[in-house]
Coordinates of all heavy atoms in Angstrom, one line a residue:
C30 N -7.2 -50.7 -87.2 CA -7.0 -50.4 -85.8 C -7.7 -51.4 -84.9 O -8.9 -51.4 -84.9 CB -7.5 -49.0 -85.5 SG -7.5 -48.5 -83.8
A31 N -6.9 -52.2 -84.3 CA -7.4 -53.3 -83.4 C -7.5 -52.8 -82.0 O -6.5 -52.4 -81.4 CB -6.6 -54.5 -83.5
A32 N -8.7 -52.8 -81.4 CA -8.9 -52.4 -80.1 C -9.0 -53.6 -79.1 O -9.7 -54.5 -79.4 CB -10.1 -51.5 -80.0
S33 N -8.4 -53.5 -78.0 CA -8.5 -54.5 -76.9 C -8.9 -53.8 -75.7 O -8.8 -52.6 -75.4 CB -7.3 -55.3 -76.8 OG -6.2 -54.5 -76.4
G34 N -9.4 -54.6 -74.7 CA -9.9 -54.1 -73.5 C -11.5 -53.9 -73.7 O -12.0 -54.2 -74.7
R35 N -12.0 -53.3 -72.7 CA -13.5 -53.2 -72.7 C -13.9 -52.0 -73.6 O -13.3 -50.9 -73.6 CB -14.0 -52.8 -71.3 CG -15.6 -52.8 -71.2 CD -16.0 -52.8 -69.7 NE -15.5 -54.0 -69.0 CZ -16.1 -55.2 -68.9 NH1 -17.2 -55.3 -69.7 NH2 -15.6 -56.1 -68.2
T36 N -14.9 -52.2 -74.5 CA -15.4 -51.2 -75.3 C -16.8 -51.0 -75.0 O -17.5 -51.8 -74.4 CB -15.2 -51.6 -76.8 OG1 -15.9 -52.8 -77.1 CG2 -13.8 -51.7 -77.2
F37 N -17.3 -49.8 -75.3 CA -18.7 -49.4 -75.0 C -19.3 -48.8 -76.3 O -18.7 -48.3 -77.2 CB -18.6 -48.3 -73.9 CG -17.9 -48.7 -72.7 CD1 -16.6 -48.4 -72.5 CD2 -18.6 -49.4 -71.7 CE1 -15.9 -48.8 -71.4 CE2 -17.9 -49.8 -70.5 CZ -16.6 -49.5 -70.4
T38 N -20.6 -48.9 -76.3 CA -21.4 -48.5 -77.4 C -21.3 -47.0 -77.7 O -21.5 -46.5 -78.8 CB -22.9 -48.8 -77.3 OG1 -23.4 -48.2 -76.0 CG2 -23.1 -50.4 -77.2
G39 N -20.9 -46.2 -76.6 CA -20.8 -44.8 -76.8 C -19.4 -44.3 -77.3 O -19.3 -43.1 -77.4
T40 N -18.6 -45.2 -77.7 CA -17.2 -44.9 -78.1 C -17.2 -44.2 -79.5 O -17.9 -44.7 -80.4 CB -16.3 -46.2 -78.1 OG1 -16.3 -46.7 -76.7 CG2 -14.9 -45.7 -78.5
I41 N -16.4 -43.2 -79.6 CA -16.1 -42.6 -80.9 C -14.7 -43.0 -81.2 O -13.8 -42.8 -80.5 CB -16.3 -41.1 -80.9 CG1 -17.6 -40.6 -80.3 CG2 -16.0 -40.5 -82.2 CD1 -18.7 -41.1 -81.2
M42 N -14.5 -43.6 -82.5 CA -13.2 -43.9 -83.0 C -12.8 -43.0 -84.0 O -13.5 -42.7 -85.0 CB -13.2 -45.4 -83.5 CG -13.7 -46.4 -82.6 SD -12.5 -46.6 -81.2 CE -11.0 -47.2 -82.0
G43 N -11.6 -42.4 -83.9 CA -11.1 -41.5 -84.9 C -9.8 -41.9 -85.5 O -9.0 -42.7 -84.9
W44 N -9.5 -41.3 -86.7 CA -8.2 -41.4 -87.3 C -7.7 -40.0 -87.4 O -8.3 -39.1 -87.9 CB -8.3 -42.1 -88.7 CG -8.4 -43.5 -88.7 CD1 -9.6 -44.3 -88.9 CD2 -7.4 -44.5 -88.5 NE1 -9.4 -45.6 -88.8 CE2 -8.0 -45.8 -88.7 CE3 -6.0 -44.5 -88.4 CZ2 -7.2 -47.0 -88.5 CZ3 -5.3 -45.6 -88.3 CH2 -5.9 -46.9 -88.4
F45 N -6.4 -39.9 -87.1 CA -5.7 -38.6 -87.2 C -4.4 -38.9 -87.8 O -3.9 -40.0 -87.9 CB -5.5 -38.0 -85.8 CG -6.7 -37.5 -85.0 CD1 -7.5 -38.4 -84.4 CD2 -7.1 -36.2 -85.1 CE1 -8.7 -38.1 -83.7 CE2 -8.2 -35.8 -84.5 CZ -9.0 -36.7 -83.8
R46 N -3.7 -37.8 -88.4 CA -2.5 -38.0 -89.0 C -1.6 -36.9 -88.7 O -2.0 -35.8 -88.4 CB -2.6 -38.2 -90.5 CG -3.1 -36.9 -91.3 CD -3.3 -37.2 -92.8 NE -3.7 -36.1 -93.5 CZ -4.0 -36.1 -94.8 NH1 -4.0 -37.3 -95.4 NH2 -4.4 -35.0 -95.4
Q47 N -0.3 -37.1 -88.6 CA 0.7 -36.1 -88.4 C 2.0 -36.3 -89.2 O 2.6 -37.2 -89.1 CB 1.1 -36.2 -86.9 CG 1.9 -35.0 -86.4 CD 2.1 -34.9 -84.9 OE1 1.8 -35.9 -84.2 NE2 2.3 -33.7 -84.4
A48 N 2.2 -35.2 -90.0 CA 3.4 -35.2 -90.8 C 4.6 -34.5 -89.9 O 4.3 -33.7 -89.0 CB 3.2 -34.4 -92.0
P49 N 5.9 -34.8 -90.3 CA 6.9 -34.2 -89.5 C 6.8 -32.7 -89.5 O 6.7 -32.1 -90.5 CB 8.2 -34.7 -90.2 CG 7.7 -36.0 -90.8 CD 6.3 -35.8 -91.3
G50 N 6.9 -32.1 -88.3 CA 6.9 -30.7 -88.1 C 5.5 -30.1 -88.2 O 5.4 -28.8 -88.2
K51 N 4.5 -30.9 -88.3 CA 3.1 -30.4 -88.5 C 2.3 -30.8 -87.3 O 2.6 -31.7 -86.6 CB 2.5 -30.9 -89.8 CG 3.3 -30.6 -91.1 CD 3.3 -29.2 -91.4 CE 4.0 -28.9 -92.7 NZ 4.1 -27.5 -93.0
E52 N 1.2 -30.1 -87.2 CA 0.2 -30.5 -86.1 C -0.5 -31.7 -86.5 O -0.8 -32.0 -87.7 CB -0.7 -29.3 -85.9 CG -0.1 -28.0 -85.3 CD -1.1 -27.0 -85.0 OE1 -2.2 -27.0 -85.5 OE2 -0.7 -26.0 -84.3
R53 N -1.0 -32.4 -85.5 CA -1.8 -33.6 -85.8 C -3.2 -33.1 -86.3 O -3.8 -32.2 -85.6 CB -2.0 -34.4 -84.5 CG -2.7 -35.7 -84.6 CD -2.5 -36.6 -83.4 NE -1.1 -36.9 -83.1 CZ -0.6 -37.7 -82.2 NH1 -1.5 -38.3 -81.4 NH2 0.7 -37.8 -82.0
E54 N -3.7 -33.7 -87.3 CA -4.9 -33.3 -87.9 C -5.9 -34.4 -88.1 O -5.6 -35.6 -88.2 CB -4.6 -32.6 -89.3 CG -4.1 -33.6 -90.4 CD -3.9 -32.9 -91.7 OE1 -4.0 -31.6 -91.8 OE2 -3.7 -33.6 -92.7
F55 N -7.2 -34.0 -88.0 CA -8.3 -35.0 -88.1 C -8.4 -35.5 -89.5 O -8.2 -34.8 -90.5 CB -9.6 -34.2 -87.8 CG -10.9 -35.0 -88.0 CD1 -11.2 -36.1 -87.2 CD2 -11.6 -34.7 -89.1 CE1 -12.4 -36.8 -87.5 CE2 -12.7 -35.4 -89.4 CZ -13.1 -36.5 -88.6
V56 N -8.7 -36.8 -89.6 CA -8.9 -37.5 -90.8 C -10.4 -38.0 -90.9 O -11.0 -37.7 -91.9 CB -8.0 -38.6 -91.1 CG1 -8.2 -39.3 -92.3 CG2 -6.5 -38.1 -91.1
A57 N -10.8 -38.8 -90.0 CA -12.1 -39.4 -90.0 C -12.5 -39.9 -88.6 O -11.7 -40.1 -87.8 CB -12.1 -40.6 -91.0
L58 N -13.8 -40.0 -88.4 CA -14.3 -40.7 -87.2 C -15.5 -41.5 -87.5 O -16.2 -41.3 -88.5 CB -14.6 -39.6 -86.1 CG -15.8 -38.6 -86.3 CD1 -17.1 -39.2 -86.0 CD2 -15.6 -37.3 -85.5
I59 N -15.8 -42.4 -86.6 CA -17.0 -43.2 -86.7 C -17.6 -43.4 -85.4 O -16.8 -43.6 -84.4 CB -16.6 -44.6 -87.5 CG1 -17.9 -45.4 -87.8 CG2 -15.6 -45.4 -86.6 CD1 -17.6 -46.6 -88.7
R60 N -18.9 -43.4 -85.3 CA -19.5 -43.7 -84.0 C -19.7 -45.2 -84.0 O -20.4 -45.9 -84.9 CB -20.9 -43.1 -84.1 CG -20.8 -41.5 -84.0 CD -22.2 -40.8 -84.2 NE -22.1 -39.4 -84.1 CZ -21.7 -38.6 -85.1 NH1 -21.4 -39.2 -86.3 NH2 -21.6 -37.3 -85.0
W61 N -19.2 -45.8 -82.9 CA -19.1 -47.3 -82.8 C -20.5 -47.9 -82.9 O -20.7 -49.0 -83.5 CB -18.4 -47.7 -81.5 CG -18.0 -49.1 -81.5 CD1 -18.7 -50.1 -80.9 CD2 -16.8 -49.7 -82.0 NE1 -18.0 -51.3 -81.1 CE2 -16.8 -51.0 -81.8 CE3 -15.7 -49.1 -82.7 CZ2 -15.8 -51.9 -82.2 CZ3 -14.7 -50.0 -83.1 CH2 -14.7 -51.3 -82.8
S62 N -21.5 -47.3 -82.2 CA -22.8 -47.9 -82.1 C -23.5 -47.9 -83.4 O -24.2 -48.9 -83.8 CB -23.6 -47.3 -81.0 OG -23.8 -45.9 -81.2
S63 N -23.5 -46.8 -84.0 CA -24.4 -46.6 -85.3 C -23.6 -46.8 -86.6 O -24.2 -47.1 -87.6 CB -24.9 -45.2 -85.3 OG -23.9 -44.2 -85.5
G64 N -22.3 -46.7 -86.6 CA -21.5 -46.8 -87.8 C -21.5 -45.6 -88.6 O -20.9 -45.5 -89.7
T65 N -22.2 -44.5 -88.2 CA -22.1 -43.3 -88.9 C -20.7 -42.6 -88.9 O -20.0 -42.8 -87.9 CB -23.2 -42.2 -88.4 OG1 -22.9 -42.0 -87.0 CG2 -24.5 -42.8 -88.6
S66 N -20.3 -41.9 -89.8 CA -19.0 -41.5 -90.0 C -18.9 -40.0 -90.5 O -19.8 -39.5 -91.0 CB -18.2 -42.4 -90.9 OG -18.7 -42.3 -92.2
S67 N -17.8 -39.4 -90.2 CA -17.4 -38.1 -90.7 C -16.0 -38.1 -91.2 O -15.2 -38.8 -90.7 CB -17.6 -37.0 -89.6 OG -18.9 -36.9 -89.2
L68 N -15.8 -37.4 -92.3 CA -14.4 -37.2 -92.8 C -14.0 -35.8 -93.1 O -14.9 -34.9 -93.3 CB -14.4 -38.0 -94.2 CG -14.6 -39.5 -94.1 CD1 -16.0 -39.9 -94.7 CD2 -13.5 -40.2 -94.8
A69 N -12.7 -35.6 -92.9 CA -12.2 -34.3 -93.2 C -12.4 -33.9 -94.7 O -12.3 -34.9 -95.6 CB -10.7 -34.2 -92.9

């Protein structure tokens, strides 16, 4: 995931996924500043 434009240290980056006919669901996130992460 390539991000452009202004970014900030407080940004949370997430990955979500959506199968046809299904709700969008959480996969993973990472705190931009620290690099700490969470996964489904």
